[in-house]
Amino acid sequence: MDFGLVLQTDPPASTVVGLMRRAERNGFRYGWTFDSAVLWQEPFVIHSRILEHTSRLTVGPMVTNPSTRTWEVTASTFATLNDMYGNRTVCGIGRGDSAMRVAGRPPNTLARLGEAVDAIRDLAEGREASVGGEPIRLPWVKEGKLPVWIAAYGPKALALTGRRGDGFILQLADPFLTEWMIKAVRTAAAEAGRDPDSVKICVAAPAYVGDDLGHAREQCRWFGGMVGNHVADLVARYGTHSDMVPEALTAYVEQRQGYDYAHHGRAGNPDTAFVPDEIVDRFCLLGPPEAHIERLRALRDLGVDQFAVYAMHDAREEVIDAYGSTVIPALS
């Protein structure tokens, strides 16, 4: 199993770079950042510094979207980083939640997302693609490689991921939901004539190492609010008691009142009071290292290739080091 670190690009950028360097020293192989231009600093500028100051880390956004940048700009950015540092980037992409909504625009349609996935990959790897109905190619790209991993929850997005994604990003660490969603992705891949096992599976969730579960839950409760915000559209479409979406994912969202993006992805988010302890425990990894190892072994047995640690809490360095000394060696 591979491991990744996920950070917001809060200033100063030097702190983000330093934490990514620390992660690489501890055996992490992926460095991910949020991508929401209004809420945080521009990630691709910081990605360049991360790549410059690491030697093995694969770097990318978790996640970008098809609208805040045009597709040829996104592809050219990845291709430039790859040309400078070797093929060490990965494109995590989704419909766009915080990046779009905070600017007063709705998330992208799945149709647009699917078209963008193909176009960005083709352009970044030197092939021609259609952008806005016009054929475009980046003539300077040589031997570029860009895997595109899609973030998804709902049945249609999971099917799209199976048909077109190089990887699947699932933002929660509940084994029951993970198994259900991996099955949906791999079924869609097989139906599209692809090798289901060729789609990499990345589970991303907060991890907090320590014996004080009460404190750990409060530091990670924001994640239940973030997931609830992501699946609110699914609840609006399918309800909380539907055969299309597991109730284990949607039922707790019934108590959700609203969401202020000023606190998005941050410990102490006041809009997450509706998130019960049960959801925090199911969606996140909390407790001593042995508890993390047990959950991660279960996820690995379900087919998870990477666990990406959300480190938006008060123990970032401690968790990185604990994973490096205990957890990663047990799962590698």
Side-chain angles (χ1 to χ4, degrees), residues 151-213:
Y153 289 111
K156 294 181 179 179
L158 293 169
L160 172 68
T161 302
R163 292 193 304 269
R164 298 191 178 183
D166 299 302
F168 166 44
I169 296 171
L170 173 58
Q171 292 164 309
L172 53 81
D174 176 75
F176 170 78
L177 291 171
T178 298
E179 183 176 21
W180 185 86
M181 293 186 187
I182 289 176
K183 181 179 179 181
V185 168
R186 289 187 167 157
T187 297
E191 290 174 350
R194 305 180 67 195
D195 176 3
D197 293 331
S198 69
V199 182
K200 296 294 185 181
I201 309 295
C202 173
V203 161
Y208 200 102
V209 180
D211 295 323
D212 188 343
L213 286 180

XYZ file of all heavy atoms in Angstrom, residues 151-213:
464
model
N -12.394 11.873 -8.354
C -13.058 11.823 -7.048
C -14.553 11.639 -7.264
O -15.160 12.350 -8.070
C -12.788 13.105 -6.272
N -15.142 10.685 -6.541
C -16.548 10.362 -6.792
C -17.187 9.778 -5.541
O -16.509 9.189 -4.690
C -16.667 9.366 -7.945
N -18.530 9.924 -5.469
C -19.352 9.279 -4.438
C -20.585 8.605 -5.046
O -20.915 7.486 -4.702
C -19.846 10.291 -3.400
C -18.817 10.854 -2.465
C -18.438 12.185 -2.556
C -18.249 10.078 -1.461
C -17.518 12.731 -1.670
C -17.319 10.612 -0.574
C -16.959 11.949 -0.685
O -16.049 12.475 0.175
N -21.305 9.333 -5.917
C -22.581 8.868 -6.419
C -22.457 7.834 -7.518
O -21.387 7.656 -8.119
N -23.554 7.135 -7.821
C -23.494 6.032 -8.792
C -23.051 6.453 -10.181
O -22.294 5.726 -10.841
C -24.926 5.482 -8.793
C -25.773 6.552 -8.184
C -24.896 7.283 -7.229
N -23.488 7.605 -10.668
C -23.098 8.037 -12.006
C -21.630 8.447 -12.050
O -20.921 8.166 -13.020
C -23.994 9.179 -12.469
C -25.445 8.770 -12.681
C -26.299 9.930 -13.164
C -27.739 9.501 -13.392
N -28.593 10.636 -13.844
N -21.163 9.116 -11.002
C -19.751 9.508 -10.948
C -18.860 8.284 -10.801
O -17.763 8.223 -11.384
C -19.523 10.482 -9.797
N -19.287 7.293 -10.032
C -18.509 6.063 -9.888
C -18.410 5.332 -11.222
O -17.350 4.800 -11.586
C -19.151 5.172 -8.829
C -19.119 5.706 -7.395
C -20.021 4.868 -6.501
C -17.709 5.741 -6.847
N -19.521 5.307 -11.971
C -19.499 4.665 -13.285
C -18.561 5.399 -14.238
O -17.806 4.769 -14.995
C -20.912 4.613 -13.857
N -18.584 6.728 -14.207
C -17.673 7.511 -15.033
C -16.222 7.196 -14.680
O -15.361 7.041 -15.562
C -17.948 9.007 -14.841
C -16.959 9.972 -15.492
C -17.056 9.901 -17.009
C -17.202 11.405 -15.011
N -15.948 7.080 -13.397
C -14.590 6.768 -12.952
C -14.134 5.424 -13.490
O -13.003 5.275 -13.965
C -14.534 6.767 -11.417
O -14.950 8.047 -10.923
C -13.132 6.467 -10.919
N -15.011 4.436 -13.438
C -14.659 3.127 -13.969
C -14.414 3.136 -15.461
O -13.541 2.418 -15.964
N -15.151 3.972 -16.174
C -15.010 4.021 -17.637
C -13.786 4.805 -18.077
O -13.152 4.452 -19.078
C -16.259 4.657 -18.266
C -17.530 3.820 -18.143
C -18.628 4.356 -19.060
N -18.932 5.764 -18.828
C -19.849 6.209 -17.980
N -20.574 5.333 -17.278
N -20.082 7.504 -17.840
N -13.432 5.879 -17.359
C -12.423 6.807 -17.881
C -11.253 7.096 -16.960
O -10.221 7.608 -17.409
C -13.104 8.135 -18.235
C -14.159 8.015 -19.323
C -14.592 9.374 -19.814
N -15.566 9.275 -20.884
C -16.075 10.308 -21.537
N -15.691 11.545 -21.229
N -16.961 10.149 -22.495
N -11.363 6.816 -15.680
C -10.314 7.211 -14.750
C -9.152 6.235 -14.699
O -9.325 5.025 -14.835
N -7.963 6.770 -14.483
C -6.807 5.938 -14.174
C -6.802 5.546 -12.708
O -6.138 4.589 -12.313
C -5.511 6.676 -14.501
C -5.404 7.027 -15.971
O -5.460 6.099 -16.802
O -5.301 8.229 -16.301
N -7.523 6.326 -11.900
C -7.627 6.050 -10.484
C -8.925 6.600 -9.936
O -9.603 7.417 -10.569
N -9.282 6.140 -8.747
C -10.503 6.542 -8.043
C -10.111 7.097 -6.685
O -9.401 6.439 -5.919
C -11.429 5.330 -7.894
C -12.558 5.499 -6.909
C -13.308 6.671 -6.859
C -12.885 4.478 -6.026
C -14.354 6.814 -5.956
C -13.927 4.606 -5.128
C -14.665 5.779 -5.085
N -10.562 8.319 -6.384
C -10.318 8.940 -5.088
C -11.610 8.897 -4.287
O -12.624 9.482 -4.683
C -9.833 10.391 -5.239
C -8.481 10.432 -5.955
C -9.728 11.066 -3.871
C -8.032 11.837 -6.331
N -11.575 8.210 -3.156
C -12.716 8.116 -2.246
C -12.363 8.841 -0.959
O -11.431 8.437 -0.248
C -13.062 6.658 -1.958
C -14.124 6.427 -0.883
C -15.436 7.126 -1.220
C -14.338 4.934 -0.641
N -13.100 9.887 -0.648
C -12.782 10.704 0.511
C -13.569 10.253 1.731
O -14.445 10.946 2.242
C -13.031 12.178 0.164
C -12.031 12.691 -0.872
C -12.466 13.988 -1.512
O -13.585 14.112 -1.998
N -11.576 14.963 -1.530
N -13.226 9.106 2.233
C -13.661 8.546 3.515
C -13.012 7.182 3.650
O -12.585 6.585 2.668
C -15.197 8.448 3.623
C -15.985 7.742 2.525
C -15.963 6.221 2.686
C -17.436 8.212 2.522
N -12.929 6.673 4.903
C -12.204 5.421 5.139
C -13.080 4.363 5.795
O -12.593 3.531 6.551
C -10.970 5.698 6.005
N -14.369 4.388 5.506
C -15.291 3.395 6.032
C -15.214 2.128 5.173
O -15.475 2.189 3.965
C -16.713 3.947 6.021
C -17.724 2.909 6.460
O -17.785 2.639 7.665
O -18.438 2.363 5.591
N -14.868 0.967 5.743
C -14.700 -0.235 4.919
C -15.961 -0.652 4.171
O -15.879 -1.084 3.010
C -14.279 -1.304 5.938
C -13.605 -0.533 7.018
C -14.395 0.749 7.125
N -17.130 -0.530 4.788
C -18.366 -0.926 4.103
C -18.596 -0.079 2.859
O -18.856 -0.606 1.765
C -19.554 -0.798 5.059
C -20.888 -0.955 4.370
C -21.357 -2.212 4.033
C -21.659 0.155 4.054
C -22.583 -2.370 3.388
C -22.879 0.016 3.403
C -23.339 -1.259 3.062
N -18.487 1.234 3.002
C -18.694 2.121 1.865
C -17.582 1.956 0.838
O -17.826 2.021 -0.375
C -18.783 3.566 2.331
C -20.036 3.915 3.141
C -19.919 5.305 3.745
C -21.289 3.814 2.276
N -16.371 1.751 1.301
C -15.255 1.546 0.377
C -15.502 0.323 -0.498
O -15.315 0.368 -1.725
C -13.942 1.381 1.159
O -13.678 2.577 1.912
C -12.772 1.117 0.220
N -15.924 -0.769 0.115
C -16.190 -1.990 -0.655
C -17.287 -1.754 -1.687
O -17.165 -2.180 -2.842
C -16.596 -3.126 0.290
C -16.821 -4.447 -0.412
C -17.119 -5.579 0.557
O -17.538 -5.305 1.708
O -16.933 -6.759 0.169
N -18.365 -1.068 -1.284
C -19.489 -0.807 -2.186
C -19.043 0.037 -3.378
O -19.396 -0.249 -4.525
C -20.589 -0.104 -1.409
C -21.860 0.113 -2.177
C -22.900 -0.752 -2.313
C -22.214 1.287 -2.922
N -23.885 -0.189 -3.098
C -23.491 1.048 -3.494
C -21.582 2.505 -3.170
C -24.142 1.991 -4.288
C -22.218 3.442 -3.966
C -23.485 3.190 -4.505
N -18.244 1.060 -3.109
C -17.853 1.974 -4.176
C -16.788 1.379 -5.088
O -16.813 1.592 -6.304
C -17.400 3.299 -3.576
C -18.556 4.033 -2.903
S -18.106 5.677 -2.324
C -19.610 6.133 -1.437
N -15.848 0.624 -4.530
C -14.866 -0.053 -5.382
C -15.572 -1.019 -6.327
O -15.233 -1.102 -7.524
C -13.822 -0.787 -4.524
C -12.894 0.210 -3.828
C -12.991 -1.736 -5.391
C -11.898 -0.429 -2.883
N -16.553 -1.732 -5.824
C -17.305 -2.658 -6.672
C -17.983 -1.916 -7.819
O -17.963 -2.373 -8.972
C -18.345 -3.409 -5.846
C -19.153 -4.415 -6.653
C -20.160 -5.151 -5.780
C -20.980 -6.141 -6.610
N -21.987 -6.849 -5.765
N -18.575 -0.751 -7.515
C -19.244 0.029 -8.561
C -18.254 0.496 -9.616
O -18.532 0.434 -10.830
C -19.961 1.225 -7.932
N -17.081 0.952 -9.203
C -16.066 1.419 -10.149
C -15.576 0.269 -11.015
O -15.479 0.387 -12.251
C -14.895 2.075 -9.391
C -13.709 2.308 -10.316
C -15.339 3.402 -8.764
N -15.274 -0.840 -10.401
C -14.706 -1.953 -11.155
C -15.740 -2.616 -12.063
O -15.392 -3.102 -13.147
C -14.081 -2.948 -10.188
C -12.804 -2.373 -9.566
C -12.043 -3.350 -8.731
N -10.706 -2.815 -8.439
C -9.957 -3.185 -7.420
N -10.401 -4.112 -6.577
N -8.753 -2.656 -7.229
N -16.989 -2.624 -11.636
C -18.043 -3.142 -12.516
C -18.147 -2.288 -13.766
O -18.241 -2.803 -14.893
C -19.385 -3.179 -11.777
O -19.295 -4.079 -10.670
C -20.507 -3.623 -12.702
N -18.125 -0.952 -13.597
C -18.203 -0.053 -14.750
C -16.990 -0.211 -15.651
O -17.105 -0.163 -16.887
C -18.324 1.390 -14.269
N -15.816 -0.419 -15.059
C -14.610 -0.609 -15.858
C -14.729 -1.873 -16.707
O -14.412 -1.868 -17.912
C -13.387 -0.688 -14.955
N -15.204 -2.956 -16.093
C -15.346 -4.208 -16.831
C -16.363 -4.071 -17.955
O -16.151 -4.568 -19.074
C -15.752 -5.325 -15.871
N -17.464 -3.382 -17.674
C -18.497 -3.198 -18.698
C -17.992 -2.347 -19.862
O -18.496 -2.462 -20.982
C -19.732 -2.566 -18.070
C -20.480 -3.513 -17.123
C -21.615 -2.835 -16.384
O -21.694 -1.577 -16.457
O -22.417 -3.543 -15.742
N -16.996 -1.505 -19.604
C -16.408 -0.675 -20.657
C -15.271 -1.387 -21.388
O -14.615 -0.783 -22.252
C -15.904 0.637 -20.063
N -15.017 -2.635 -21.034
C -13.956 -3.388 -21.685
C -12.582 -3.132 -21.118
O -11.571 -3.502 -21.740
N -12.505 -2.518 -19.950
C -11.211 -2.241 -19.321
C -10.887 -3.325 -18.303
O -11.774 -4.035 -17.814
C -11.244 -0.878 -18.611
C -11.640 0.290 -19.475
C -11.631 1.567 -18.664
N -10.276 1.941 -18.254
C -10.007 2.841 -17.298
N -10.999 3.437 -16.655
N -8.764 3.133 -17.007
N -9.619 -3.426 -17.943
C -9.201 -4.294 -16.844
C -9.600 -3.597 -15.538
O -9.062 -2.528 -15.225
C -7.692 -4.515 -16.904
C -7.177 -5.332 -15.721
O -7.986 -5.780 -14.884
O -5.945 -5.494 -15.623
N -10.527 -4.146 -14.759
C -10.972 -3.462 -13.533
C -9.834 -3.172 -12.572
O -9.854 -2.154 -11.864
C -11.981 -4.442 -12.929
C -12.434 -5.289 -14.061
C -11.248 -5.410 -14.981
N -8.832 -4.052 -12.530
C -7.727 -3.862 -11.598
C -6.757 -2.777 -12.050
O -5.843 -2.412 -11.305
C -6.968 -5.175 -11.409
C -7.812 -6.226 -10.696
O -8.682 -5.832 -9.892
O -7.608 -7.422 -10.964
N -6.938 -2.261 -13.279
C -6.052 -1.194 -13.757
C -6.405 0.152 -13.136
O -5.608 1.091 -13.203
C -6.117 -1.091 -15.282
O -7.389 -0.595 -15.709
N -7.587 0.270 -12.550
C -8.005 1.527 -11.913
C -7.464 1.540 -10.481
O -7.863 0.739 -9.638
C -9.535 1.668 -11.899
C -9.942 3.019 -11.277
C -10.115 1.534 -13.300
N -6.536 2.449 -10.204
C -5.964 2.556 -8.866
C -7.009 3.104 -7.889
O -7.822 3.954 -8.248
C -4.742 3.471 -8.876
C -3.578 2.949 -9.700
C -3.000 1.679 -9.090
C -1.756 1.213 -9.825
N -1.219 -0.041 -9.248
N -6.961 2.625 -6.653
C -7.927 3.020 -5.633
C -7.199 3.780 -4.532
O -6.277 3.251 -3.900
C -8.648 1.808 -5.025
C -9.234 0.906 -6.121
C -9.719 2.277 -4.052
C -10.322 1.538 -6.944
N -7.619 5.019 -4.301
C -7.044 5.856 -3.245
C -8.137 6.233 -2.251
O -9.137 6.858 -2.626
C -6.419 7.122 -3.837
S -5.855 8.324 -2.603
N -7.970 5.854 -1.014
C -8.844 6.298 0.064
C -8.146 7.449 0.781
O -6.973 7.342 1.151
C -9.142 5.153 1.051
C -9.650 5.685 2.388
C -10.166 4.203 0.450
N -8.861 8.550 0.960
C -8.296 9.733 1.612
C -9.166 10.105 2.810
O -10.395 10.211 2.685
C -8.223 10.903 0.635
N -8.538 10.311 3.965
C -9.284 10.638 5.181
C -8.320 11.175 6.231
O -7.113 10.911 6.161
C -9.996 9.400 5.723
N -8.841 11.911 7.213
C -7.975 12.348 8.303
C -7.464 11.166 9.116
O -8.173 10.174 9.313
C -8.897 13.231 9.160
C -9.994 13.659 8.245
C -10.188 12.492 7.323
N -6.236 11.276 9.573
C -5.660 10.308 10.498
C -5.108 11.082 11.695
O -4.423 12.093 11.512
C -4.562 9.501 9.820
N -5.417 10.596 12.888
C -4.940 11.245 14.113
C -4.463 10.142 15.045
O -5.245 9.288 15.459
C -6.056 12.058 14.760
C -5.566 13.115 15.728
C -5.519 14.459 15.359
C -5.134 12.771 17.009
C -5.064 15.429 16.239
C -4.670 13.732 17.889
C -4.636 15.059 17.493
O -4.173 16.034 18.360
N -3.176 10.153 15.370
C -2.582 9.103 16.189
C -2.509 9.576 17.638
O -1.956 10.637 17.935
C -1.177 8.737 15.677
C -0.568 7.646 16.552
C -1.233 8.277 14.218
N -3.077 8.773 18.554
C -3.046 9.113 19.970
C -4.131 8.385 20.725
O -5.048 7.795 20.135
N -4.062 8.429 22.051
C -4.999 7.703 22.890
C -6.205 8.538 23.311
O -7.177 7.989 23.831
C -4.283 7.184 24.147
C -3.209 6.152 23.800
O -3.434 5.354 22.864
O -2.158 6.149 24.463
N -6.161 9.846 23.126
C -7.274 10.718 23.524
C -8.272 10.788 22.373
O -8.213 11.674 21.515
C -6.742 12.108 23.868
C -7.807 13.016 24.483
O -9.013 12.695 24.346
O -7.440 14.051 25.063
N -9.233 9.855 22.365
C -10.175 9.785 21.256
C -11.085 11.001 21.216
O -11.485 11.443 20.127
C -11.005 8.503 21.354
C -10.284 7.201 20.988
C -11.223 6.012 21.138
C -9.742 7.258 19.568
